[in-house]
């Protein structure tokens, strides 16, 4: 039986929908076990008795407004730290889900879970929708605000390996986010990273401007976490704005029941529905950690568990380790 550890705290909706989402996934996958970390009474009130469920009890959790470095001092019984420690020590557990503090999850994964040899920090990757229905991998999308050129090299290697797991039949096109496509454009970080990236054994296609993020220009986009997070949030907001414009125009023209308008609105909503695409994956941790969106709901948990199972089946950690050897 494959087990997944779930920190029940951190989501805007509260822990109940997170727990229900895991139960929904267990109905789909007969060989799936879940280890919930959180308040036992809250968990039991939703799950009842189930032999495929284990509970690690705690009432302590790290809030988003806390300094992430609290994972270093006196928070050994927090849900996030307990989840990471049990993930490390339990060979049956393939990965962990949490909607909690991204910063605490980053620091905690380094301290309590460990990184693949050759890394000083994990990267956070997120899949964004393209107009053709495919996805582009953005790495880093918010975990590492201050990066070195060699960090971007590692991000490129891990992003390439991640994409190969999802699409094994393609040779991913890897691009560097910059202010212009021409070689030599950008700041000191991107200029130096460019020279390093073009020497890698990957399909590096050069610089890419932000306007090409969702056009299909690249399969993997490499960035520092500061720029990556900004462009990620802009892309997510653009989808919501596009749907809002369609709905507002339909209402203004009294065409809300028009089948074509409804189909367009539904398509935009599905394209930018990040709750149906899983979560952001930490690349480089010894076991797979997925950060769920703060507005996670039941379907988010199901898609994140499916993401974990796909990555495990594809030998994700082994591919990352081989990439780091390069």
């Amino acid at each position: 039986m494959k087990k997944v550890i779930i920190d029940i705290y951190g989501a805007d909706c509260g822990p109940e929908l997170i727990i229900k989402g895991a139960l929904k996934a267990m109905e789909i996958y007969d060989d799936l076990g879940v280890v919930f970390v959180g308040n036992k009474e809250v968990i039991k009130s939703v799950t009842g008795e189930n032999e495929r469920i284990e509970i690690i009890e705690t009432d302590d959790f790290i809030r988003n407004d806390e300094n992430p470095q609290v994972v270093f001092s006196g928070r050994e019984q927090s849900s996030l730290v307990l989840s990471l420690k049990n993930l490390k020590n339990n060979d049956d557990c393939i990965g962990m889900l949490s909607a909690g503090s991204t910063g605490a999850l980053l620091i905690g994964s380094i301290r309590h879970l460990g990184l693949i040899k050759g890394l000083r920090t994990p990267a956070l990757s997120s899949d964004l929708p393209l107009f053709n229905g495919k996805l582009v991998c953005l790495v880093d999308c918010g975990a590492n605000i201050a990066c070195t050129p060699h960090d971007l090299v590692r991000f490129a290697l891990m992003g390439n390996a991640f994409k190969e797991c999802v699409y094994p039949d393609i040779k991913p096109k890897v691009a560097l986010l910059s202010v212009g496509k021409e070689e030599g454009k950008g700041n000191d970080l991107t200029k130096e990273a460019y020279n390093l990236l073009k020497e890698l054994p990957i399909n590096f296609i050069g610089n890419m401007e932000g306007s090409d993020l969702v056009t299909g220009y690249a399969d993997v986009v490499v960035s520092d976490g500061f720029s990556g997070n900004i462009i990620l949030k802009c892309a997510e907001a653009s989808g919501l704005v596009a749907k809002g414009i369609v709905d507002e125009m339909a209402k203004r023209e009294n065409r809300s029941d028009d089948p074509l308008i409804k189909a367009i609105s539904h398509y935009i909503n599905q394209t930018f529905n990040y709750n149906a695409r899983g979560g952001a994956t930490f690349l480089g941790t010894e076991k797979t950690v997925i950060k769920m969106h703060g507005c996670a709901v039941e379907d988010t948990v199901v898609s994140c568990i499916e993401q974990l199972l796909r990555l495990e089946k594809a030998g994700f950690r082994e591919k990352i380790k081989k990439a780091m050897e390069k």
Side-chain angles (χ1 to χ4, degrees), residues 26-174:
M26 292 174 72
E27 292 177 359
I28 301 172
Y29 300 100
D30 295 334
D31 61 344
L32 175 67
V34 173
V35 181
F36 288 113
V37 184
N39 182 280
K40 186 175 182 178
E41 290 185 6
V42 172
I43 296 168
K44 284 282 190 180
S45 69
V46 179
T47 65
E49 297 297 328
N50 190 319
E51 62 181 11
R52 292 160 59 193
I53 289 175
E54 299 173 34
I55 298 175
I56 299 172
E57 188 170 12
T58 183
D59 291 322
D60 184 26
F61 66 95
I62 298 171
R63 304 186 310 274
N64 283 312
D65 60 354
E66 292 186 80
N67 187 325
Q69 295 192 23
V70 296
V71 297
F72 289 116
S73 57
R75 301 303 288 276
E76 296 298 305
Q77 294 303 307
S78 66
S79 59
L80 190 147
V81 171
L82 286 174
S83 296
L84 289 167
K85 284 186 172 181
N86 279 272
L87 177 59
K88 180 177 182 177
N89 296 325
N90 193 331
D91 291 338
D92 293 332
C93 292
I94 64 171
M96 166 191 165
L97 308 181
S98 177
S101 165
T102 302
L105 198 56
L106 170 70
I107 296 172
S109 67
I110 298 171
R111 178 175 173 81
H112 299 292
L113 186 58
L115 302 179
I116 290 171
K117 185 178 179 180
L119 292 173
R120 73 177 187 92
T121 178
L124 192 61
S125 71
S126 183
D127 279 333
L128 295 174
L130 302 175
F131 73 95
N132 58 8
K134 294 184 179 181
L135 300 170
V136 58
C137 174
L138 174 64
V139 55
D140 186 285
C141 65
N144 300 282
I145 302 302
C147 295
T148 69
H150 287 281
D151 286 332
L152 299 190
V153 168
R154 298 179 185 105
F155 297 170
L157 289 169
M158 292 192 293
N160 184 73
F162 177 79
K163 202 67 179 181
E164 286 179 339
C165 285
V166 181
Y167 297 102
D169 297 329
I170 70 168
K171 187 172 179 58
K173 296 179 292 182
V174 181

Side-chain angles (χ1 to χ4, degrees), residues 164-199:
E164 286 179 339
C165 285
V166 181
Y167 297 102
D169 297 329
I170 70 168
K171 187 172 179 58
K173 296 179 292 182
V174 181
L176 176 65
L177 184 65
S178 189
V179 294
K181 291 181 180 179
E182 299 84 3
E183 184 174 356
K185 288 291 183 73
N187 55 20
D188 290 342
L189 173 65
T190 55
K191 289 177 183 177
E192 187 173 343
Y194 187 103
N195 292 328
L196 297 172
L197 289 169
K198 66 183 182 181
E199 301 299 325

Side-chain angles (χ1 to χ4, degrees), residues 217-237:
Y217 184 81
D219 300 303
V220 178
V221 177
V222 179
S223 171
D224 64 276
F226 184 86
S227 303
N229 190 259
I230 291 174
I231 200 169
L232 168 68
K233 298 295 175 57
C234 286
E236 290 179 346

Side-chain angles (χ1 to χ4, degrees), residues 204-216:
F204 177 59
I205 60 173
N207 288 332
M208 188 203 78
E209 297 182 61
S211 56
D212 280 322
L213 180 67
V214 294
T215 64

Side-chain angles (χ1 to χ4, degrees), residues 225-256:
F226 184 86
S227 303
N229 190 259
I230 291 174
I231 200 169
L232 168 68
K233 298 295 175 57
C234 286
E236 290 179 346
S238 296
L240 296 176
V241 170
K243 183 178 184 302
I245 291 172
V246 171
D247 292 345
E248 177 61 29
M249 289 300 297
K251 182 179 179 181
R252 188 181 303 173
E253 300 296 327
N254 198 27
R255 295 181 62 186
S256 297

